[in-house]
Amino acid sequence: MTFLQGNSLTQMRRQRRESLRETCSLRTQTETSDGNGGWVQAWTTTASVPCAVTTSSGAAPRSGGVIAYGTEARSWVVALAHDQSAKASDRIVWSGRTLEVTAVDLPGGYGVQTTAFCVEVD
């Protein structure tokens, strides 16, 4: 097993971040009291970050990275910088589309990027 030196990892992370040429907004769901004993749910944008987005059809990633084949939903893969976080049920808004995160592959490949697996929602 080969271990990277700190400066090599820093360079790889910088190069990956520079290759993320699109921008997306990360959104989380918040709940606030409605003043009548109930709750109102809303989506709050937490950050606007660089990303790279790819798509495929016929497979929709589910929690834990398991792929459910034969689903009607088109799946999306969103690459984020290594230090960005996303979790299942968060949303990513990209190019006028709202994508729901179904699973996240935390920084892999020497911690160079975070990968979010998503499906499009209305």
Side-chain angles (χ1 to χ4, degrees):
M1 177 181 279
T2 303
F3 293 97
L4 294 176
Q5 295 181 0
N7 58 350
S8 296
L9 180 57
T10 300
Q11 181 178 1
M12 287 174 62
R13 287 176 172 169
R14 180 185 53 76
Q15 288 173 335
R16 181 58 180 144
R17 184 181 299 272
E18 289 172 356
S19 74
L20 301 174
R21 300 189 186 277
E22 300 176 86
T23 301
C24 62
S25 297
L26 305 179
R27 303 182 87 194
T28 58
Q29 191 174 41
T30 57
E31 291 184 343
T32 55
S33 173
D34 65 5
N36 295 318
W39 299 93
V40 176
Q41 296 178 336
W43 291 97
T44 303
T45 299
T46 57
S48 181
V49 298
C51 67
V53 181
T54 56
T55 185
S56 65
S57 60
R62 299 291 182 222
S63 180
V66 176
I67 304 295
Y69 290 97
T71 62
E72 294 180 16
R74 184 168 17 178
S75 61
W76 300 83
V77 179
V78 181
L80 305 168
H82 79 282
D83 56 353
Q84 294 300 320
S85 64
K87 65 183 185 314
S89 79
D90 282 352
R91 292 201 173 167
I92 296 173
V93 178
W94 164 80
S95 191
R97 299 177 183 272
T98 301
L99 311 175
E100 183 171 328
V101 178
T102 59
V104 178
D105 182 11
L106 297 177
Y110 298 109
V112 174
Q113 76 177 26
T114 297
T115 306
F117 300 94
C118 308
V119 292
E120 190 169 0
V121 294
D122 297 327

